[in-house]
Amino acid sequence: MERQAEYVLRTVEERGIRFIRLWFTDVQGFLKSVAINPAELEVAFSEGMTFDGSAIDGYARVQEADMIAKPDPSTFQIIPWRPEQQVARMFCDILTPSGEPFDGDPRWVLKRNLRRAADLGFTFFVGPELEWFYFKDSGPNPQVLDRGGYFDLTPLDVAQEYRRTTINALEQLGIPVESSHHEVAPSQHEIDLRYTDALTMADNVMTYRLAVKEVAIEHGIYATFMPKPLANHDGNGMHVHLSLFEGDRNAFYEAGSDLGLSKVAQSFIAGLIKHGPEITGVTNQWVNSYKRLVSGFDAPLYLTWARNNQSALVRVPSVKAGKQASTRVEYRAPDAACNPYMAFSVLLAAGLTGIENAYELSPEMPRNVYDLTKAERAAADIGTLPSNLSEALDLMEDSELVAEALGEHMFGWFLKNKRKEWDRYQRHVSQFELEEYLPIL
């Protein structure tokens, strides 16, 4: 048995852990869990735990139901909420009965894409900024807790205690936090995680979302990562900072070049911009996601890049003197409710394709793109992201890049699932339509 597994077994015994939760995600990014007792842990490490995959969205057909969840001991952590229950968790890799990685496992999809990067000599690092809202409850009429705005403090930020408790929980789970603050909209908040390798970060994002919700429940309120719960305020984004390293060297940095960006970084950005429309169905997978990607709010619509310009799809953050290792690019389209394993996969695939094909980076767009006329955008050859889920799925369905990144199984399940969501949405008659049209038509 490998050393990490032995460490987990020893820790479980010494700490008196009563339950170990085995975590994995379905195709949409919902966290799934099965609890085992410590007596089963050694078997779980050696053989995995069998479960009914046909009951999990995006997994197997009924006649292929048996799946195996095998815990990754490197992800072992003791859950800090409800300490009296002494519960730990581990993320799992999903295997077929023959022991092969299951193509419908989002974690495996990301591992496969990271292997592609490794074959090119790169390690992929990610640092996300996730936003969410606190509401009084989960009912259909959201009630905010405060009227605060960006960086507000007492008395406008009434949720400092909840954020602080969440950060404490994350740090106890081994997830370093860089900063936190009240966001732009009332009752909206953000915690930024310190960057790490993409697989660890995808696990961390899943843990982060659960920690935020658990702390909210503990305080009798509700937390949501829904992309756009309030019509007249900004939605919940997940700006993602991306970088590639070759060993200890940041492959995005080149001394003396424009902005300090290497050719690798420039082609990576060009890949993100060129393939941005076809990957949006994955990074913004809900009907509601496209209520966030509209003009007038802090969300990108147009395929541009820039330095200090929040209207750009890809931003190159400033680097402090002597901190060239922090050279990175920020992709601003994803929302906080995406499946992070799949979102990181398609972002990496788009960037690597740009590198492999030596894409040329278009000129920087320093102006606010929203201020340009349609004719000016056309003259500058500025394209747009898809405006709704149906359009995004059409672009995704024609994309060899996304099909290859997700794999045949995941690609097909995802499209099928999301087409059904769009069909349900099309049949829906909204309150807006009833109030707007019923009295006059």
Side-chain angles (χ1 to χ4, degrees), residues 250-376:
N250 187 336
F252 279 3
Y253 175 69
E254 183 177 314
S257 64
D258 189 24
L259 303 179
L261 291 176
S262 66
K263 177 60 182 171
V264 166
Q266 293 180 36
S267 294
F268 191 93
I269 296 171
L272 290 173
I273 291 174
K274 179 178 175 63
H275 298 290
E278 65 204 82
I279 68 174
T280 303
V282 177
T283 59
N284 302 74
Q285 63 168 312
W286 308 99
V287 164
N288 181 255
S289 298
Y290 298 85
K291 305 289 175 72
R292 168 179 167 259
L293 299 178
V294 295
S295 180
F297 299 93
D298 185 20
L301 299 182
Y302 303 107
L303 307 177
T304 62
W305 76 275
R307 285 168 285 184
N308 296 318
N309 183 347
Q310 303 292 337
S311 69
L313 173 64
V314 180
R315 201 171 70 85
V316 180
S318 301
V319 177
K320 294 177 183 173
K323 299 281 187 180
Q324 286 80 7
S326 65
T327 299
R328 63 200 186 277
V329 300
E330 176 189 359
Y331 192 79
R332 298 172 55 80
D335 58 52
C338 67
N339 183 329
Y341 301 97
M342 293 166 63
F344 297 167
S345 293
V346 295
L347 288 169
L348 177 61
L352 291 181
T353 301
I355 294 170
E356 289 174 324
N357 294 283
Y359 288 175
E360 290 294 328
L361 185 59
S362 56
E364 180 183 4
M365 173 49 68
R367 292 181 59 187
N368 185 341
V369 194
Y370 300 121
D371 291 341
L372 300 179
T373 65
K374 187 175 181 180
E376 288 174 323

Side-chain angles (χ1 to χ4, degrees), residues 182-202:
H182 197 291
E183 251 301 336
V184 173
S187 216
Q188 189 184 32
H189 303 270
E190 176 176 315
I191 293 177
D192 301 339
L193 303 183
R194 180 169 174 77
Y195 78 95
T196 187
D197 68 275
L199 183 64
T200 301
M201 185 54 75

Side-chain angles (χ1 to χ4, degrees), residues 17-26 30-38 40-41 44-45 48-53 55-56 59 67-72 76-77 79 87-94 210:
I17 301 297
R18 295 179 59 195
F19 301 101
I20 300 99
R21 289 196 173 276
L22 306 183
W23 288 0
F24 58 94
T25 56
D26 67 9
F30 288 111
L31 197 58
K32 301 292 178 180
S33 173
V34 57
I36 63 173
N37 66 53
E40 300 296 324
L41 191 52
F45 280 136
M49 303 300 292
T50 303
F51 68 98
D52 178 7
I56 304 294
Y59 275 47
M67 286 287 153
I68 296 170
K70 195 164 186 181
D72 178 348
F76 176 83
Q77 292 289 345
I79 292 175
V87 180
R89 72 96 159 100
M90 279 182 283
F91 281 93
C92 292
D93 294 314
I94 306 302
L210 182 66

Side-chain angles (χ1 to χ4, degrees), residues 63-137:
Q63 66 272 28
E64 306 167 333
D66 286 344
M67 286 287 153
I68 296 170
K70 195 164 186 181
D72 178 348
S74 70
T75 65
F76 176 83
Q77 292 289 345
I78 297 172
I79 292 175
W81 47 87
R82 304 188 190 94
E84 72 282 359
Q85 296 181 2
Q86 284 295 294
V87 180
R89 72 96 159 100
M90 279 182 283
F91 281 93
C92 292
D93 294 314
I94 306 302
L95 309 177
T96 64
S98 62
E100 296 298 315
F102 174 49
D103 290 336
D105 175 15
R107 204 165 186 263
W108 167 244
V109 170
L110 179 55
K111 281 187 171 183
R112 206 164 35 72
N113 284 278
L114 294 176
R115 185 182 299 168
R116 177 185 170 195
D119 289 342
L120 295 170
F122 297 124
T123 305
F124 183 43
F125 286 90
V126 177
E129 302 171 357
L130 279 91
E131 298 165 341
W132 77 92
F133 283 91
Y134 286 128
F135 293 134
K136 291 184 178 176
D137 55 45

